[in-house]
Amino acid sequence: MSKIGDNYTNTLISLPNPGLGLGLRSKHFNHILEHNPAVDWFEVISENFMDSGGRPRHVLRQIAERYPVVMHGVSLSIGSTDRLNKDYLTKLKLLAGEVKPLWISDHLCWTGVNSLNTHDLLPVVLNDESLKHICTRINQVQDFLERPVVFENPSTYLTFKQSTINEWDFLRYMTEETGCGLLLDVNNVYVSGFNNDFDPAHYIRQLPHDRIVQMHIAGHQHCGTHIIDTHDRQVAHDVWKLFNLAWELTRGVATLLEWDGNIPEFDVYHAELLKAKEFMSSIDGFGITGEQEIANDDVVSNPVNFLVNEVNW
Amino acid sequence: MQGMLVHHAPMQDIALPAAVEDIVNPSQRLSAVHHLDIYRHSYIARLRSCMQSQFNALAYALGPELFELFADQYLDTYPSESYTLNTLGEKFAQFLQETRPDAGREQKENWPDFMIELAGFEYALSIIFDEHTDEQPAVILHDTPDEMLKLAPVFHLFHHQYPICGYYLGVIQSTAPELPFPEESYSAVTRHNYKLGLFTIRGAQYHFLKNMQRGDSVEAAKDNLVKAFEFKRAELDKIWPEWKKGFIDAGFFVFYEPS
């Protein structure tokens, strides 16, 4: 790793733990502005605000004055073979300059090639070639943004025959090569583990825990043969158990509850987040039950319609 | 992989460079094709849902099945090239025009024109909602001199062949509006305190405000309206106080201090 990479590592390990956070959603704008709820911090979807000259940006400015904020992106497309989008990166940097986030995160994924954007977090082939490609791009992004970037493990629904590296090792190599950080999405590990036949607890144990600066927890939908990462309900008990394991191994890092579909009233959302406190101390035994309510197939992964502006009157 | 995702045609109808089984691993419970199908299903369902959010009134007007059909075809024809979903429907009105069912027929139907206008209007509203500008608080009083009035920084005028604004307001106010007959209509859209205001206006008001958009003062806009439409100036001056009050109440004007 270069000296600049070392600097990013040093920056990373000195990042604060702001506590328990919630995703900032337009449905809750008024509630937050009026009631100043006792939430430790908010995670904002960068793309919801970076082009906004209207209410979303106006609200974000006020939120950022009152709460610590983290910027979470869905469009960096670090695994794509298209060139990095300089226009996007420039706007991301401008927004960061305004909001002063604790850190900026995105996903280990690609969203499209040949200029198309699927608006999905697509899985990458995990091998030496892709590792080199992605690390080169992470270095470029971090140098442009002049800060370390934090990468999240996505929920995946397939694995490639060309993959030769386990995802947990791939993520570790990324951090070692670039100084980037990790956002451990515990629910995604559970979802991917079920879908792709690996043990989620093993995955979490293998990660470089000192590089994990944040965790995500969320609800999912079990479809019998597979699990969809729907972010539309309460966190499953098995995911809470995994969270407990991750909390112990990381010694506790910033934790955020994602809820992007069927978004409840703010107090319900906040109450679900606070359940995390019950899983921050040791629990006897570690066993995943696999007991879930089974749904029909009509569910969608990574819901994104909350990324479309809700026009206000 | 992307080629397998961005078209909602059945897998067997897509020309693939390699068999899915050669690229994707099966798992204990699913075949390689089933694994890929999870992404395929979610791709179109996810973006269709965004289209429904962005074109709420159009989805109501077309009904869920027809809207889904148009949206799916649109997403096939114009897949997203942007990192932001806010521009997903940018070409939807154009697409509806290109694919109108009466294309090539001499006798045109009315309803496609209505749907095209409605799609364009809804997309315009989403852009206006997020338009960059320095919003100024509305501090205009009814007795503010005319020469100290200028249009609000976010102010847009629309002229349609159907009562588009009224229909749109009917949908969002849940009054279950009927599909309208052709009727020329005019509307104005403002934004104050980051919230949109929609107003149906009269044709003469539209042209007066259009003159102001081109840079006319109130007096010049009145003069040009009289000239263009052979109105009687005295009659315009008579109704002006009523117009002015309505425009100020609606937030069309902000304070302007001539240099």
Side-chain angles (χ1 to χ4, degrees):
Chain A
M1 183 164 54
S2 67
K3 274 195 172 176
I4 295 176
D6 284 337
N7 288 341
Y8 293 142
T9 303
N10 292 335
T11 304
L12 198 78
I13 57 180
S14 64
L15 289 173
N17 174 2
L20 296 175
L22 290 175
L24 180 64
R25 302 291 176 261
S26 60
K27 174 175 181 172
H28 301 140
F29 281 174
N30 288 340
H31 180 90
I32 297 166
L33 293 177
E34 287 169 19
H35 300 285
N36 285 315
V39 178
D40 293 337
W41 60 284
F42 283 101
E43 182 184 77
V44 305
I45 302 296
S46 307
E47 289 79 1
N48 275 9
F49 302 95
M50 61 201 303
D51 287 307
S52 170
R55 186 160 190 261
R57 190 77 164 248
H58 175 63
V59 170
L60 177 58
R61 284 189 208 106
Q62 297 172 71
I63 301 284
E65 285 174 4
R66 304 180 194 182
Y67 297 91
V69 165
V70 163
M71 282 168 49
H72 185 53
V74 293
S75 302
L76 183 59
S77 199
I78 202 71
S80 174
T81 49
D82 281 3
R83 285 186 175 190
L84 288 166
N85 186 335
K86 282 290 169 65
D87 178 45
Y88 171 81
L89 286 172
T90 301
K91 288 177 179 170
L92 191 66
K93 192 173 183 177
L94 276 172
L95 184 65
E98 186 175 314
V99 172
K100 307 278 190 283
L102 297 177
W103 54 83
I104 297 174
S105 62
D106 206 292
H107 301 80
L108 170 60
C109 73
W110 58 288
T111 59
V113 290
N114 299 328
S115 301
L116 294 190
N117 194 326
T118 66
H119 299 282
D120 199 354
L121 308 172
L122 300 171
V124 295
V125 173
L126 303 171
N127 59 26
D128 290 338
E129 189 182 356
S130 64
L131 179 65
K132 188 178 172 190
H133 172 70
I134 286 171
C135 286
T136 300
R137 287 162 69 89
I138 291 174
N139 285 331
Q140 290 170 352
V141 170
Q142 293 187 144
D143 290 349
F144 183 84
L145 296 176
E146 301 176 280
R147 61 196 304 157
V149 177
V150 175
F151 286 92
E152 174 183 345
N153 56 298
S155 51
T156 57
Y157 305 95
L158 61 76
T159 57
F160 293 104
K161 285 195 179 292
Q162 300 98 318
S163 289
T164 57
I165 304 175
N166 291 315
E167 190 172 288
W168 52 84
D169 289 328
F170 196 94
L171 291 165
R172 175 155 39 83
Y173 298 148
M174 274 170 48
T175 65
E176 290 170 356
E177 288 297 316
T178 68
C180 74
L182 295 181
L183 191 174
L184 170 58
D185 189 314
V186 178
N187 181 58
N188 287 356
V189 175
Y190 184 82
V191 169
S192 300
F194 185 88
N195 293 336
N196 301 311
D197 301 333
F198 66 77
D199 174 7
H202 177 74
Y203 181 115
I204 289 174
R205 288 192 180 101
Q206 299 307 307
L207 290 170
H209 305 118
D210 59 335
R211 304 301 180 95
I212 298 171
V213 298
Q214 183 188 336
M215 286 194 276
H216 272 169
I217 45 178
H220 61 241
Q221 178 60 63
H222 207 301
C223 300
T225 55
H226 58 283
I227 299 178
I228 300 285
D229 182 25
T230 47
H231 294 187
D232 64 347
R233 65 197 64 206
Q234 294 177 322
V235 180
H237 187 66
D238 282 347
V239 173
W240 281 125
K241 285 185 175 177
L242 278 178
F243 168 74
N244 173 258
L245 173 68
W247 184 266
E248 288 194 347
L249 293 171
T250 59
R251 297 179 183 179
V253 294
T255 297
L256 180 124
L257 171 65
E258 293 183 299
W259 204 318
D260 303 325
N262 302 324
I263 300 173
E265 294 304 314
F266 189 87
D267 291 341
V268 175
Y269 185 21
H270 195 191
E272 182 67 9
L273 169 72
L274 296 178
K275 284 185 191 170
K277 291 182 178 179
E278 299 168 24
F279 295 90
M280 289 178 178
S281 54
S282 293
I283 50 178
D284 292 333
F286 185 86
I288 289 178
T289 63
E291 289 173 6
Q292 300 273 347
E293 185 186 341
I294 308 296
N296 61 32
D297 282 342
D298 194 23
V299 289
V300 178
S301 64
N302 300 325
V304 291
N305 56 342
F306 74 99
L307 297 176
V308 178
N309 274 331
E310 186 184 328
V311 175
N312 291 89
W313 308 97
Chain B
M1 180 177 177
Q2 178 173 276
M4 302 175 198
L5 299 181
V6 297
H7 297 284
H8 73 281
M11 189 76 91
Q12 61 267 24
D13 295 346
I14 301 171
L16 300 174
V20 174
E21 291 80 1
D22 294 337
I23 301 169
V24 174
N25 290 313
S27 65
Q28 288 175 14
R29 302 172 198 85
L30 294 175
S31 68
V33 170
H34 280 124
H35 275 287
L36 188 62
D37 270 345
I38 297 172
Y39 285 99
R40 279 165 42 78
H41 168 74
S42 286
Y43 168 76
I44 194 69
R46 180 187 302 117
L47 296 186
R48 188 191 294 145
S49 171
C50 288
M51 290 290 287
Q52 279 167 340
S53 298
Q54 201 160 46
F55 297 96
N56 188 25
L58 184 66
Y60 173 82
L62 285 170
E65 287 175 12
L66 201 52
F67 180 83
E68 189 173 302
L69 183 71
F70 279 122
D72 288 1
Q73 288 177 353
Y74 169 70
L75 292 166
D76 269 3
T77 308
Y78 293 109
S80 174
E81 295 186 353
S82 172
Y83 58 82
T84 173
L85 281 160
N86 286 333
T87 56
L88 186 66
E90 186 174 16
K91 295 176 182 166
F92 197 33
Q94 174 192 327
F95 170 80
L96 294 173
Q97 178 68 46
E98 290 165 353
T99 58
R100 53 184 299 151
D102 56 2
R105 278 190 238 153
E106 213 164 284
Q107 191 72 27
K108 298 290 184 196
E109 297 183 50
N110 283 335
W111 69 268
D113 292 323
F114 168 69
M115 300 299 173
I116 292 162
E117 283 198 333
L118 184 57
F121 185 65
E122 279 199 274
Y123 184 72
L125 293 181
S126 71
I127 298 302
I128 296 167
F129 175 71
D130 238 352
E131 188 176 324
H132 285 262
T133 190
D134 287 328
E135 291 213 11
Q136 301 172 22
V139 289
I140 300 292
L141 303 174
H142 290 149
D143 60 356
T144 301
D146 289 356
E147 59 272 21
M148 291 187 173
L149 299 176
K150 68 172 183 177
L151 291 178
V154 179
F155 181 81
H156 296 267
L157 291 165
F158 295 89
H159 174 202
H160 293 117
Q161 300 309 311
Y162 286 79
I164 296 294
C165 183
Y167 183 85
Y168 179 84
L169 288 169
V171 173
I172 64 166
Q173 290 162 358
S174 304
T175 62
E178 299 281 328
L179 285 185
F181 290 104
E183 178 191 342
E184 204 167 9
S185 71
Y186 303 88
S187 55
V189 177
T190 60
R191 195 183 79 193
H192 284 288
N193 198 20
Y194 299 98
K195 293 186 178 180
L196 296 187
L198 272 64
F199 303 90
T200 55
I201 56 176
R202 296 182 205 129
Q205 293 174 324
Y206 170 88
H207 291 290
F208 168 81
L209 293 163
K210 201 78 185 166
N211 290 339
M212 288 197 71
Q213 267 191 333
R214 293 189 190 107
D216 283 358
S217 63
V218 168
E219 277 308 295
K222 281 192 207 169
D223 290 343
N224 286 327
L225 188 67
V226 167
K227 269 187 225 163
F229 294 92
E230 298 181 353
F231 289 157
K232 290 181 179 167
R233 178 65 192 225
E235 287 185 8
L236 180 58
D237 285 338
K238 194 176 166 189
I239 59 168
W240 169 242
E242 186 191 326
W243 281 20
K244 180 178 173 180
K245 181 177 180 299
F247 292 164
I248 287 173
D249 289 345
F252 291 3
F253 292 138
V254 292
F255 193 76
Y256 170 64
E257 199 160 3
S259 54

